[in-house]
Amino acid sequence: MAKYLYRLGQWSIRHAKAVIFAAVALLLVMGGLVLGFGFEFDEDLSIPGTSSQDTIELLKEEFPEVGNAGGQIHMVFKAPEGKTLLDPDVQGKLSEVVAEVQSDKAVEMIYTPEMLQNYNADQTIAFAMVSYDSVAVEVSQDSIDRVQEAIQITEDAGIQTELSGDVEVNPFKMEFATEVLGVMAAFIILFFTFGSLLVAGMPIVTAGVGLVIGLLGIVFGTNFTSISTVCLSLAAMLGLAVGIDYALFILSRFRQEYARGYSVNQAIAIANGTAGSAVVFAGLTVVIALIGLAIPQIPFLAMMGFTGALCVFIAIIVAITVVPAVISLFGSRMTPPVDRKRTLGEGFAERVKLSGKYMNGWAKLINKFPVVVALAGTLVLGVISIPFFNMELGLPDDGFYGEDTNERQAYDLLKEAYGEGYHAQLVVVAKATDEDGEVMSKLETLQQDISGMDNVNYIANVIPKEAGDMAVIQLYPVTGPNDSETKDLVNEIRSASAEYEKDGMELLVTGTTAANIDISDKLSEALPIFAALIIGLAFILFMIVFRSILVPLKAVLGFVLSLGATLGFVTWVIQDGNYHELFGFAAAGPVLNFLPIIVVGILFGLAMDYEMFLVSRMREEYTHSGNARKAVLAGLRDSGGVVTAAGLIMIAVFTGFMMASDPMVKVMGMALAFGVLFDAFIVRMMIVPAVMILLGDAAWYLPKWLDKLLPNIDVEGEAIMETMDEPERLNKKKPVEVENI
C-alpha cells in the first residue's frame, strides 16, 4: 500500500493544479445538480417488521380511511390573561384564522375546537385540527407557510398560538453558527501545533472542500432514496472532523521528513506513503464500521451509516490527493523552520504545543510509573461507566427542545391542557381473526377492559370499519411517551390479545409512542451483535497490521473501556439529569435510542484512528531497533503530539454540533466529543503506552505459523524508507535529530 501511495503523492505533485481544479470542479458540479434537482428529505424512522409498523401497514391496506389519512397541523390556542377561548372577541379571531387557512385548496377539512369539544377545564386552551388531502410528508411548504401567516392574526390579538401535528412545520435548517465555533477552535489548535496561520488553515480548507462535496452528494441523493436530515448532520460531523485530522497527519509527517533533510517534493511523497497509508487504513476502518450499521437491518440506521461513510471516504481521497497537491503548491511556506529563523508565531507555538519537551516529559512519567498510569486510567473509565448499566432508551420528543422554541411551546401548551399523556397517544386495532368474523359486538367489553387497565387516562375515539371486521381505538395514557409505565401499558394490551383471540379477535398496538418503544427494543437487541462483529473485525485487522496478538487485544479492550465510559457519562447527564442544563439540554429523559449503536460504529472507527497513528510509529521503531520500551517511548514522542492535536480538533468540532438546537444532533455531538476525550486522552495516551511498556517484547509476539498465513500490509512505509536514497540535503542546515528520551 505504501509504495502505491508514495507514487500517488508524486503524481499529485506533478499535477497539483489539475488535482485542485478537479476537486473544485466536482464541488461546483455537485452544487449545480442540487440546484437543478432540489432535495427531499424523508424523516421516516420506522423499522419494518416491528409490531407497530406491521400494524400501520395493515391499516393502510385494509382500513385506508384511517391508515392513509391526510397530514394534520394542530393550531393550539391559549386565551389572553383573564379571558377564555369562548369570549366573543377571541372567537372572532379564531374564526378569522380558520377562514384564512380554509382558503388553501390543499386543506380537506378544518375541525374547530367547537366541533372537537377539546377545551381544557377552564376553557383557556384548545386546538383546531387542519386536515390535508395528502399525507404529511407531501404537504407543500406553501400550505405550511399559509398556516404560519394566518396565525399572526391571533398572535397579534394576544392569543398565544403554536403549531403541532404530524406535518413538519419547522423544516430542517443547517445551523452553521455553532459549527463555525468548532471550526474556529480547530484552527486555534492547529495554529498552536504549527505556529503558522497558513499551515493551520490548510487542513480546514481541504477538509471543507471534501465535506461540501460529500454533503452535496447526500442532498442530491435524497431525490432517489430515503435520507433523513439527521443523516446530514452526522455526516457533517464526521466528514469535517476526520477531514481535518487526516490532513493534519499527512502535513505533520511531511514536516518531519523535511526536517530530516529531504526536499519538499520528497517529503510530500514520503508523507503520503507513510502517514497516508495509516490514513487510508484508519479511514477505511471507519468506513467499514459505518457500513456495518446496516447489519441490524434498520433502514434509517443503515442510511446514517452509508451517508457518514461517503463523507469519510471522500475525506480519505482528498487527504491523499488534494493535500499533497496543496502542500506542493505552497512549497517552502509549509515547511518547519529548518534553514530559517522561527517566525513569531512559530516561537509562540513552540512554547505551548503539546509536543517536544512536554511529550517527552509525559513519556518519561509513563516509563517510570506504568502500573500506576494504567490502573488510574482504567479505574477512572470504569467508574464513569457505572451509569451505563441502568441506561434506558427512547426517542426525544418536542419536550426536549429549548423553552424558547416553537416545538417546545406547543408541547407545553398541550401538556398544560390535557396532561403529559396527551403526547403518548396509543392506537389499538381490534381485528377479527376469522375471515367471516366481526368485532362490533365485542367493542363495548373491549373498551371497558382497556379503560380498567393501569395508566389509562381515557379513550378518545372509537372508529369501526364499515365491514365490521376491524375497529380503531384511540386512547391516552396518564404518563408521557418515554415513561416506563407507558411501555408497560403497551405490553399489557398486547399480552391481552391472547385472551381475545379465543373469541376470534386480535389486538394490535401502534402509534408514534408504540413505534418508538418497538424501535428502542429492536436497537437494544441489535447492539450486542453489532458490537461483537465490529470488535471481532477490529481484532483481525489489527492483528494483520501490527503482526501481533496482544496489541490488537489491548486495542479492542481499550475501546470497550472508552465506549462504556462514553455511554455511562451520557446516561449520567441525559437520563439521570446531572448538570444537563450545563450541556444545553432543556430536560432530562431517556438516551436517544439509536445513539449506542451509532457511538459503537463511529467511536470504534475514531479509536482505531488514534491506535493506528500511535502504535504504527511504535512498530516502525520496534522493527528498526528491536527495543520494545524504546519503541513505545518513540511512538509517544513522535506521534503523541499529533494524536493530542487530532483529539482536541475532534472534540472542538463535535462540541460545535453539541451546541445545536436539535436534541438528536446535540446528544450525538456530546457523545462523540466525550467519547474522543476518553479514548484519545485516557485510553490511547495513558493506558495503551503503559500496558505496552509492561508487556515489553511480548506485545509484538506472533506465532510463526500465523505470521505466514497473514497478508503483509505495510502501513508504516518500511518498503519506501528501505529503498529511499539518502536525503537530498537541500536544506542548508543538517537534518534535525529528534531528541531522544
Side-chain angles (χ1 to χ4, degrees), residues 379-558:
L379 182 62
V380 168
L381 294 181
V383 170
I384 298 174
S385 301
I386 292 173
F388 163 68
F389 297 100
N390 297 315
M391 184 175 65
E392 295 178 4
L393 301 181
L395 195 66
D397 53 26
D398 289 348
F400 287 84
Y401 281 89
E403 293 182 0
D404 58 341
T405 61
N406 294 331
E407 294 92 341
R408 176 64 180 275
Q409 289 168 359
Y411 182 95
D412 286 345
L413 270 187
L414 292 167
K415 178 181 174 182
E416 179 185 345
Y418 311 114
E420 186 75 47
Y422 177 83
H423 298 289
Q425 182 193 51
L426 299 176
V427 177
V428 179
V429 178
K431 176 181 179 293
T433 55
D434 300 326
E435 236 181 82
D436 301 324
E438 56 85 29
V439 300
M440 300 298 293
S441 62
K442 309 177 185 73
L443 278 182
E444 186 175 347
T445 303
L446 176 61
Q447 290 181 66
Q448 291 175 354
D449 291 345
I450 291 177
S451 298
M453 290 180 178
D454 292 338
N455 202 40
V456 173
N457 193 358
Y458 63 95
I459 291 176
N461 205 0
V462 179
I463 309 171
K465 186 179 175 184
E466 190 174 344
D469 61 341
M470 187 181 294
V472 172
I473 300 173
Q474 295 175 319
L475 66 92
Y476 291 93
V478 175
T479 52
N482 289 307
D483 288 321
S484 58
E485 292 89 344
T486 304
K487 181 177 180 179
D488 292 341
L489 175 59
V490 171
N491 292 333
E492 185 179 357
I493 295 172
R494 287 173 174 169
S495 299
S497 179
E499 290 298 320
Y500 284 98
E501 284 177 6
K502 298 174 183 177
D503 297 326
M505 184 171 67
E506 180 184 12
L507 297 184
L508 306 167
V509 186
T510 187
T512 303
T513 299
N516 289 342
I517 291 170
D518 290 344
I519 291 171
S520 297
D521 289 343
K522 180 82 171 178
L523 290 167
S524 296
E525 293 171 7
L527 180 60
I529 299 171
F530 175 69
L533 288 172
I534 289 297
I535 291 172
L537 173 66
F539 182 83
I540 294 170
L541 289 177
F542 274 83
M543 186 167 60
I544 293 172
V545 171
F546 293 125
R547 324 301 293 179
S548 164
I549 293 176
L550 294 180
V551 168
L553 180 62
K554 170 226 17 128
V556 297
L557 290 177

Side-chain angles (χ1 to χ4, degrees), residues 73 75 101 132 141-153 155 163 168-171 406:
I73 292 179
M75 298 185 293
V101 175
Y132 291 90
Q141 188 60 46
D142 287 341
S143 292
I144 297 170
D145 291 341
R146 186 179 292 238
V147 174
Q148 291 176 327
E149 290 169 7
I151 64 174
Q152 288 303 313
I153 297 171
E155 287 282 357
L163 302 179
E168 185 59 59
V169 294
N170 295 294
N406 294 331

Side-chain angles (χ1 to χ4, degrees), residues 658-712:
M658 187 174 71
M659 293 187 286
S661 61
D662 187 292
M664 287 196 286
V665 175
K666 183 186 288 290
V667 74
M668 285 193 294
M670 176 189 176
L672 293 176
F674 279 90
V676 170
L677 175 67
F678 297 142
D679 195 89
F681 293 98
I682 299 181
V683 173
R684 308 304 153 187
M685 295 300 293
M686 288 179 61
I687 298 175
V688 165
V691 171
M692 293 283 285
I693 287 174
L694 292 172
L695 290 174
D697 290 329
W700 305 105
Y701 171 74
L702 185 71
K704 290 183 180 179
W705 64 268
L706 184 57
D707 188 43
K708 292 178 182 178
L709 291 176
L710 297 177
N712 188 17

